[in-house]
Amino acid sequence: MAAVKAIKSKDKHIQQLAAIVGGGRSILYQKEDLLAYDCDGFTIHKHLPKAVVFPKDTQEVAALVKYCHEHDLPFLARGAGTGLSGGAIPLNEEVIISMVRMKRLLSVDMENRRAVVEPGFVNLKLTNSISDKGYYYAPDPSSQYCCTIGGNVAENAGGAHCLKYGVTTNHILGLEVVMPNGDIIEIGKDGVADEPGYDLLGLITGSEGTLGIVTKIVVRILKNPEAKQTVLAYFDKVSDGSQAVSDIISSGIVPAALEMMDKTAIEGVEAAAFPVGHPKDIDAVLLIEVDGISAGIDEQIDEILKVCRNRNVREVKVAQDEAERGRWWANRKTGFGAMGAISPDYLVQDGVIPRSKLPVVLDRINQISNESGLRIANIFHAGDGNLHPLVLFDARVPGEIEKALEAGSACLKVCADVGGTITGEHGVGIEKREEMRFVFTEEEIAAQTDVREVFNPKNLLNAGKLFPSPGRCVEVKKEMKASVTS
Amino acid sequence: MVTAELLTELKAVLPEVKITTEENQVTLFPHTEEQIAEIVKYCQEQKKTICIIGGGTKSKVGTSNERVDINLSLSEYTGIVEHTVGDMTVTVKAGTRYEELQEYLAQHKQKVALDPSWPRDATIGGVIAANDSGPKRLGYGTARDSVIGLRTVYPNGKVIRSGGRVVKNVAGYDMNKLFIGSMGTLGVLSEITLKLRPLQKCESLILLSFSNGNLDEVRRFAVELLDSMMEPVALELLNPAMAEKLVEQNAYTLAISLEDVETSVTYQEEFIQKLRPKNAELTILRKDQAASFWQRLYTAAPSGCDPDTSNENNAGTVALMKIGVVNLSVLEIARECQLLSDQYSVKAEAHGGLGTGICQVILHGASEDVAQSISRLRVFAAELGGYGIVQYLPESLNGKVDVWGERPSYFRLLEGIKAKMDPSRIMNPKRFIGGI
Ligand SMILES: Cc1cc2nc3c(=O)[nH]c(=O)nc-3n(C[C@H](O)[C@H](O)[C@H](O)COP(=O)(O)OP(=O)(O)OC[C@H]3O[C@@H](n4cnc5c(N)ncnc54)[C@H](O)[C@@H]3O)c2cc1C
């Protein structure tokens, strides 16, 4: 066994925390080591943590939390750090409890369709571990090759196939959670459904790491569909594309996925690592997938082709084999990063609208782009109305970050105004705290912070996230700007 | 306060609201959300306790001996608020009868994908507040998968919205989840927004009876079907007593429901026919016959508003349990239910989902025996890692049987939520687990 690495800090807390996790190899506390943890996938905002600790099991997490609780040290959990709203950013010089060492697949029970994982287990690894038996884990965020299931639970992550199969919360059967005072609780033990009592499983999922630290997760696994067919459809007009989306949904088909990209997005994905030859001069491409019993698939594909033709599609094609399907999906799933090929920086937004409002909202976003002088690409889950406007900007140009933030916020306002919401899967985090007021009244926000108080009364766990500070609207905006420009 | 005084005061404070008194119990019938809010506000100020009533089908669920001051009936607070066909979402007032809602949506070839008990009598609010579900939850999930938004009148009389009208939403905490299954202990659900599914183009029900009584054979078949790529929306095991009641076949029977386009349904029927174990008898029902089977199943359990079941008679008494276990342990529950009849001379009619782990058990017998069976089943379920709760209890056992079973280890949190939201405990007092 390696010798215990000495702690070079005089800070008593650092020494104690190190002792809990078995010494200096499982803790970072020097500035140069902490820099990598000053933000997550939301890179506009940066803060250094006090330390980063790497517990190996639930007991260590509980001991760390208990220590922080007793000594009033702010703390938060971190998975892979791919969150896009700043949930894992240590705003208050938190002790970061990293879950990456707790990454085991604990058990798989095909007969009862469930698996038990530790929170640091990477999403895609689960599907990869069970695919030989014909099973998979449904929630598929585009970041699935690296994000953790613990992070997915915290954010209630979605993905392209959530249209038919639901988001993370629809697939979580049980959780082990370390409460903010260090108590360990188990909800939905063994994955038994409908446990009597209020649905804490549903409440904790999507609470962005503010109600407890998840240390074990029982998930539902599904059998692969017997057949899958994937269609690409190119439209000369965005409005025709959006109309086709509505028509497909109202024809009684529930596609597994129904994705859309606009012209700017197409320019990005075609310039990046996984081009598939989308024509450059079209306004919208739809990627549509149906799955299920083989005998019923052709009928659905015919219907979809018919709908697209009725909406003046320029070209529509069905993937000929798994390889082609894979290429189309790689092109789509790497879409955010692809913006790097056409812009130095980009900001991802995440509004949701009633599907029928798609044409109007895309128009309004276009207007916002014109007014701000920034290009906005749209890559989104059209089937469930979850938009991802990507605001392209250059952080080196003075004032552009602020402009990008404003344009992003304006897009969310549009979504809220048509009866939608400000986030469909990326969470509120730091980024959209103020925008919570677009959709909730003060009283409705208080109803939520009341719940937080029951779980997290000292508010040491991931404080300052998710909710606007009451009455401090202006100050917070200033604070945001200050930390942006620093 | 005596009823007469209360009545006079209520009439003065809430002149617009319809009020009735029966057997010394005051019932209010609001027509609008504002009226609900006024009633709740009044009760909060006067510290009057409220019992919320939808269709009354669950009036025997989680009851205590607690007498409440005011019944709040939502039976006249009904109707569709908004149905956006293209968005496949509907917003509906809580008192709307479940079946009426479905009939309305069917005109647009859509449905709420839930199959609760007593659909004709139950209100959508009651279904959501009690988190009621049926065998088709295997294919479609439960209330927590369908509800996307709520308007709730909080115990302080304020209307609080949670969720919204879009199908995907992670803004703030998922507060909808708190109210689903809360048995009205946190507030009055007033408007409910649900996501819809297209009405299935074709539907079929396969009944597979195992007259040799061999549960191992049932298990082998179920595991093979679940491991195939077929997509049954229900895979429900009926024990012989339940099969006798529903289809007059005294044998373990699987009810397999298929819903999809016709070619797919036919294909799956053929697949299952090939998979059929030699000694199992297979029947395929379609359309009205299938629908009538489900109707019988949904109304098999005793209902709080059904005079036939609420009257105890010479034949003894009847109780209803919901049991949750790991999916395939439903087989063990079914076996245990058969044993009960030998030991306690009760009749236990049971069905449970082999892909969901949720069972419904109807117990008939002398009240002592029924009580013993309840505790026996509860212990048995706990040994399997599950739980058992009582959903209908006869008068004779009221207060003598623990309805909810043991408190979970995290009860402090449940109690904390209740204390925070309803500190004066006016909403459905003691109706929920641990006396919440
Ligand atoms: C290129 C890219 C594409 C993306 N695509 C999608 C997409 O399609 N759909 C989607 O939904 N998201 C997407 N995301 C966002 C992100 O990947 C998800 O939010 C993911 O769930 C975060 O997981 P993580 O492990 O990285 O968590 P982190 O970023 O480390 O943490 C996120 C939040 O969860 C909390 N947390 C982490 N672990 C725990 C735990 N064990 N217990 C309690 N709280 C915890 C943290 O405190 C933080 O608040 C994308 C991100 C990127 C960079």
Side-chain angles (χ1 to χ4, degrees):
Chain A
M1 214 181 102
V4 174
K5 197 171 152 199
I7 298 293
K8 291 195 204 104
S9 168
K10 293 252 177 329
D11 185 326
K12 162 186 115 212
H13 293 316
I14 300 283
Q15 290 173 355
Q16 294 292 330
L17 292 168
I20 293 171
V21 290
R25 279 177 209 288
S26 301
I27 186 166
L28 302 173
Y29 52 89
Q30 286 170 316
K31 184 161 178 205
E32 62 272 25
D33 296 328
L34 297 178
L35 281 173
Y37 293 87
D38 68 358
C39 72
D40 54 14
F42 180 60
T43 55
I44 288 178
H45 216 66
K46 295 190 161 120
H47 283 269
L48 279 184
K50 179 176 181 67
V52 185
V53 283
F54 300 87
K56 67 172 187 311
D57 57 23
T58 305
Q59 296 309 322
E60 285 191 1
V61 175
L64 289 166
V65 169
K66 196 159 258 156
Y67 184 86
C68 291
H69 176 76
E70 278 163 12
H71 296 86
D72 290 327
L73 291 179
F75 61 100
L76 61 80
R78 181 180 169 109
T82 67
L84 290 171
S85 51
I89 297 177
L91 272 183
N92 314 289
E93 210 192 319
E94 274 86 354
V95 172
I96 292 183
I97 301 180
S98 166
M99 310 309 289
V100 297
R101 276 175 76 203
M102 294 174 63
K103 57 172 184 192
R104 286 177 303 163
L105 172 59
L106 296 174
S107 65
V108 179
D109 175 0
M110 311 270 181
E111 285 188 347
N112 290 300
R113 295 203 177 183
R114 58 189 177 151
V116 185
V117 301
E118 289 186 323
F121 192 64
V122 167
N123 175 303
L124 187 59
K125 277 197 175 167
L126 180 51
T127 292
N128 290 345
S129 315
I130 54 181
S131 61
D132 59 329
K133 302 278 189 333
Y135 287 82
Y136 75 111
Y137 175 60
D140 62 337
S142 301
S143 50
Q144 68 184 139
Y145 61 92
C146 67
C147 66
T148 67
I149 295 183
N152 295 165
V153 170
E155 298 290 351
N156 190 10
H161 291 80
C162 293
L163 176 57
K164 178 168 178 185
Y165 294 101
V167 294
T168 301
T169 196
N170 309 109
H171 299 270
I172 301 301
L173 303 173
L175 292 177
E176 177 188 78
V177 186
V178 174
M179 298 306 296
N181 64 0
D183 286 355
I184 302 168
I185 66 168
E186 246 182 309
I187 314 164
K189 201 159 170 293
D190 297 328
V192 174
D194 295 3
E195 199 165 70
Y198 302 128
D199 180 5
L200 301 189
L201 211 55
L203 184 67
I204 291 176
T205 305
S207 63
E208 304 193 18
T210 63
L211 299 182
I213 297 185
V214 174
T215 47
K216 198 159 69 179
I217 305 152
V218 188
V219 299
R220 187 198 313 280
I221 55 176
L222 299 182
K223 187 75 186 176
N224 287 335
E226 192 184 34
K228 255 183 219 171
Q229 292 264 21
T230 312
V231 174
L232 265 190
Y234 297 123
F235 293 86
D236 287 308
K237 285 208 289 231
V238 174
S239 55
D240 281 334
S242 353
Q243 221 39 75
V245 170
S246 288
D247 293 354
I248 291 168
I249 299 283
S250 38
S251 73
I253 296 172
V254 183
L258 178 38
E259 303 281 301
M260 185 159 162
M261 292 192 275
D262 73 357
K263 194 172 198 157
T264 311
I266 292 167
E267 184 189 329
V269 293
E270 286 302 301
F274 300 95
V276 292
H278 297 315
K280 296 260 162 64
D281 62 333
I282 49 149
D283 263 11
V285 54
L286 290 185
L287 179 58
I288 310 155
E289 192 157 282
V290 285
D291 67 13
I293 299 297
S294 54
I297 294 274
D298 286 348
E299 225 168 287
Q300 299 184 41
I301 290 289
D302 288 348
E303 180 72 34
I304 287 171
L305 298 183
K306 197 172 94 197
V307 164
C308 290
R309 291 199 185 103
N310 284 344
R311 293 294 172 188
N312 312 312
V313 70
R314 182 197 292 186
E315 187 191 347
V316 55
K317 50 186 178 185
V318 182
Q320 290 310 303
D321 49 32
E322 187 54 33
E324 187 168 33
R325 176 182 171 269
R327 281 194 300 277
W328 291 354
W329 274 113
N331 174 276
R332 160 63 188 88
K333 286 207 171 182
T334 52
F336 295 175
M339 295 306 122
I342 57 167
S343 171
D345 300 284
Y346 62 92
L347 178 75
V348 186
Q349 270 308 353
D350 181 37
V352 192
I353 55 167
R355 292 173 269 234
S356 53
K357 299 285 184 344
L358 207 49
V360 210
V361 170
L362 289 179
D363 264 356
R364 298 275 300 280
I365 291 180
N366 200 18
Q367 262 172 27
I368 294 170
S369 165
N370 291 337
E371 283 159 21
S372 66
L374 298 174
R375 298 174 76 195
I376 300 181
N378 286 292
I379 299 191
F380 55 97
H381 311 303
D384 41 29
N386 187 185
L387 306 184
H388 291 314
L390 295 148
V391 185
L392 310 186
F393 68 100
D394 184 347
R396 292 162 307 185
V397 178
E400 277 219 345
I401 297 182
E402 289 79 355
K403 253 201 231 163
L405 284 170
E406 263 162 41
S409 179
C411 291
L412 297 185
K413 186 82 174 61
V414 171
C415 294
D417 288 348
V418 298
T421 191
I422 58 167
T423 174
E425 51 182 28
H426 297 166
V428 175
I430 302 175
E431 187 200 17
K432 295 183 273 285
R433 286 178 299 191
E434 290 308 316
E435 282 76 7
M436 282 285 276
R437 295 188 213 269
F438 293 169
V439 283
F440 292 117
T441 62
E442 287 298 326
E443 273 163 359
E444 286 160 350
I445 291 170
Q448 300 182 38
T449 49
D450 273 356
V451 170
R452 183 185 62 195
E453 251 171 64
V454 174
F455 286 74
N456 183 10
K458 281 186 158 187
N459 201 14
L460 290 171
L461 174 58
N462 216 2
K465 307 287 167 67
L466 229 109
F467 303 110
S469 355
R472 284 185 55 232
C473 192
V474 187
E475 268 169 73
V476 173
K477 277 246 160 79
K478 259 196 244 155
E479 185 192 298
M480 279 277 268
K481 283 205 171 144
S483 76
V484 159
T485 34
S486 63
Chain B
M1 201 188 302
V2 292
T3 314
E5 267 177 64
L6 178 61
L7 198 61
T8 321
E9 191 173 317
L10 283 170
K11 280 187 174 149
V13 185
L14 305 160
E16 319 260 276
V17 180
K18 175 175 145 193
I19 305 177
T20 64
T21 42
E22 210 174 293
E23 293 172 19
N24 248 350
Q25 182 70 55
V26 177
T27 305
L28 302 181
F29 296 84
H31 279 101
T32 64
E33 186 181 71
E34 293 78 51
Q35 290 181 350
I36 300 174
E38 276 175 44
I39 295 168
V40 172
K41 199 153 163 270
Y42 166 82
C43 291
Q44 180 63 254
E45 281 160 10
Q46 304 298 319
K47 300 293 172 254
K48 298 258 174 276
T49 53
I50 304 176
C51 172
I52 310 162
I53 305 174
T57 59
K58 296 164 195 73
S59 58
K60 294 287 167 67
V61 182
T63 40
S64 64
N65 291 325
E66 206 79 359
R67 206 192 122 82
V68 295
D69 300 314
I70 285 171
N71 278 335
L72 175 62
S73 168
L74 296 178
S75 61
E76 298 189 7
Y77 179 62
T78 62
I80 311 282
V81 180
E82 187 176 358
H83 174 217
T84 322
V85 182
D87 291 338
M88 299 198 81
T89 58
V90 71
T91 302
V92 59
K93 293 183 196 163
T96 312
R97 305 273 164 180
Y98 190 76
E99 197 170 85
E100 272 168 40
L101 173 60
Q102 292 293 50
E103 280 167 1
Y104 162 82
L105 292 169
Q107 300 165 16
H108 301 275
K109 299 200 164 53
Q110 298 182 350
K111 65 172 177 186
V112 176
L114 296 174
D115 60 336
S117 298
W118 296 95
R120 194 162 302 157
D121 300 325
T123 61
I124 184 69
V127 169
I128 302 305
N131 188 23
D132 198 9
S133 66
K136 293 183 185 174
R137 60 183 281 161
L138 174 63
Y140 300 119
T142 59
R144 72 200 296 287
D145 306 301
S146 281
V147 172
I148 57 173
L150 294 172
R151 287 174 70 92
T152 306
V153 178
Y154 261 46
N156 62 6
K158 300 235 163 88
V159 177
I160 298 289
R161 296 165 309 155
S162 50
R165 294 190 177 194
V166 285
V167 295
K168 214 167 158 193
N169 191 347
V170 297
Y173 294 150
D174 189 354
M175 298 285 281
N176 290 334
K177 299 289 191 291
L178 266 187
F179 300 102
I180 298 169
S182 68
M183 294 301 305
T185 56
L186 297 177
V188 187
L189 301 183
S190 93
E191 280 180 16
I192 295 159
T193 305
L194 298 137
K195 77 175 171 194
L196 305 173
R197 287 190 62 106
L199 203 59
Q200 64 279 0
K201 298 204 165 101
C202 174
E203 163 176 6
S204 154
L205 171 70
I206 300 181
L207 294 172
L208 198 54
S209 356
F210 296 75
S211 42
N212 61 2
N214 187 341
L215 274 177
D216 294 335
E217 207 163 85
V218 178
R219 187 180 207 283
R220 266 197 303 280
F221 171 83
V223 166
E224 208 171 332
L225 179 61
L226 286 166
D227 191 49
S228 77
M229 285 163 167
M230 297 306 104
E231 299 178 352
V233 298
L235 175 56
E236 197 77 0
L237 174 64
L238 318 177
N239 79 342
M242 183 55 96
E244 171 76 50
K245 179 171 191 158
L246 298 181
V247 291
E248 292 167 11
Q249 285 250 21
N250 195 289
Y252 283 112
T253 299
L254 282 175
I256 308 166
S257 173
L258 303 169
E259 298 188 349
D260 204 339
V261 291
E262 171 128 29
T263 43
S264 155
V265 168
T266 313
Y267 172 87
Q268 296 186 75
E269 285 174 349
E270 285 162 9
F271 181 96
I272 289 168
Q273 270 167 325
K274 282 191 210 121
L275 206 64
R276 174 182 70 92
K278 273 199 213 68
N279 351 328
E281 204 179 299
L282 185 144
T283 325
I284 296 181
L285 304 178
R286 282 210 172 177
K287 297 196 178 132
D288 295 352
Q289 283 183 313
S292 121
F293 168 88
W294 290 114
Q295 198 54 37
R296 286 197 298 276
L297 184 131
Y298 297 142
T299 53
S303 150
C305 63
D306 177 16
D308 280 355
T309 49
S310 49
N311 289 335
E312 293 180 52
N313 54 38
N314 302 338
T317 183
V318 52
L320 171 68
M321 281 187 91
K322 172 179 176 177
I323 295 176
V325 285
V326 172
N327 301 356
L328 288 171
S329 299
V330 164
L331 291 155
E332 311 299 320
I333 299 291
R335 180 179 283 133
E336 187 67 11
C337 285
Q338 281 314 106
L339 293 180
L340 281 181
S341 53
D342 304 338
Q343 286 182 9
Y344 297 113
S345 46
V346 292
K347 185 162 81 170
E349 297 159 335
H351 64 88
L354 296 176
T356 67
I358 299 296
C359 315
Q360 207 180 43
V361 182
I362 307 164
L363 297 162
H364 305 262
S367 71
E368 255 322 282
D369 292 330
V370 167
Q372 296 228 16
S373 304
I374 290 173
S375 43
R376 163 83 180 259
L377 277 174
R378 178 174 279 152
V379 170
F380 187 74
E383 282 167 4
L384 292 168
Y387 62 85
I389 60 178
V390 183
Q391 292 201 310
Y392 181 97
L393 200 62
E395 292 296 339
S396 59
L397 290 178
N398 219 346
K400 294 188 192 140
V401 171
D402 181 2
V403 170
W404 293 100
E406 261 181 55
R407 296 172 171 189
S409 58
Y410 52 82
F411 183 71
R412 170 180 79 80
L413 296 169
L414 307 182
E415 171 60 28
I417 291 168
K418 171 73 174 179
K420 196 68 151 183
M421 293 170 68
D422 183 17
S424 335
R425 293 174 193 266
I426 59 165
M427 290 291 182
N428 277 1
K430 307 218 168 145
R431 190 78 186 273
F432 205 33
I433 190 164
I436 284 180

